[in-house]
Amino acid sequence: MDKRWWILLLVCAILAAGVLLYAFNGEEQGDFTKVLVIKLHIGQNGVREDLVSLRYGHPPEIGLRSGSFSGRLLSADGKTVKEFAIWDPRIQLGDMVIDDGHGGEMLSGAKVQSPEADLLLTLPYTGVEERFELHDRSSGRLIKSVNLSSAITSFSQTYPSDPDGPRIVSAQQGLPLITMIAGGAIFFLLVLVVLMMVRKR
């Protein structure tokens, strides 16, 4: 067999393998961990929703918290994805110096309760959460329900190429299809070259 045919065959094989490999594994690799950021204002007249956002980041551990509130992340069908305790931000704990009764001073714990405060939550997002609920832990009463869909949609529009969750179709997302077509064409050319070599025998 002519050496030129072997070279052409090798080049076509390398091109076909490279293009097809990119088509199936060409997704951008990286850390796509996301968090839900929710800011609520707890006042004397109830709870106000100030901010709901989906962002890239890593959440703190929420399973070890304590508090008088209970937080729940729910899926679209109402199932609880995660439940955890939340501290009431109106209650502030600290230390204070008091008279020990013997002419000296001692350090004692202090508790201060404010009429209102902001509650800032950074929560894990796995792609199924659609709603957040804040409950009174002792009675189970629902205090506030937060719809997360607007924040999720806004994130998807800002980052259409994110591999998780809903995507917005863009021109960039058409690249894998074009790449697969190109790979198929090169593969067809490779087969054609092989058939021509067989006939030359």
Side-chain angles (χ1 to χ4, degrees):
M1 186 183 297
D2 195 324
K3 185 178 181 181
R4 288 176 298 176
W5 286 110
W6 280 114
I7 295 174
L8 182 59
L9 178 63
L10 180 61
V11 170
C12 289
I14 293 173
L15 286 175
V19 171
L20 291 174
L21 185 64
Y22 175 81
F24 289 104
N25 300 290
E27 293 289 338
E28 183 181 353
Q29 300 298 315
D31 187 356
F32 295 98
T33 305
K34 288 172 280 295
V35 293
L36 289 161
V37 178
I38 302 173
K39 183 181 179 183
L40 304 175
H41 181 80
I42 304 175
Q44 296 176 319
N45 298 322
V47 179
R48 182 182 73 232
E49 178 183 314
D50 285 347
L51 172 70
V52 182
S53 172
L54 181 62
R55 308 173 183 176
Y56 286 116
H58 290 264
E61 176 57 55
I62 61 175
L64 304 176
R65 294 179 178 177
S66 62
S68 56
F69 291 144
S70 173
R72 296 177 191 171
L73 287 169
L74 307 174
S75 60
D77 57 3
K79 293 182 180 179
T80 300
V81 179
K82 197 169 188 64
E83 185 172 3
F84 44 91
I86 298 174
W87 184 264
D88 188 340
R90 295 171 297 180
I91 302 174
Q92 301 173 18
L93 302 179
D95 295 317
M96 63 183 298
V97 178
I98 61 173
D99 188 344
D100 64 0
H102 302 287
E105 296 178 335
M106 63 180 293
L107 195 65
S108 176
K111 177 181 177 181
V112 178
Q113 184 155 358
S114 305
E116 56 184 64
D118 289 330
L119 174 62
L120 183 62
L121 300 170
T122 304
L123 308 174
Y125 177 74
T126 64
V128 298
E129 295 82 359
E130 292 285 341
R131 192 167 79 255
F132 168 78
E133 290 184 350
L134 184 69
H135 292 257
D136 181 275
R137 200 172 179 187
S138 58
S139 66
R141 178 178 62 91
L142 175 64
I143 300 173
K144 183 68 177 178
S145 179
V146 178
N147 191 326
L148 307 174
S149 59
S150 295
I152 296 169
T153 300
S154 177
F155 180 90
S156 299
Q157 292 171 343
T158 305
Y159 303 100
S161 298
D162 188 277
D164 303 320
R167 296 190 185 186
I168 307 299
V169 176
S170 65
Q172 186 177 1
Q173 286 180 287
L175 285 176
L177 178 60
I178 295 173
T179 308
M180 290 184 69
I181 293 173
I186 294 174
F187 181 75
F188 176 76
L189 178 62
L190 178 63
V191 172
L192 188 62
V193 169
V194 171
L195 289 175
M196 289 177 65
M197 288 191 300
V198 170
R199 287 183 179 180
K200 280 192 170 289
R201 287 182 179 181

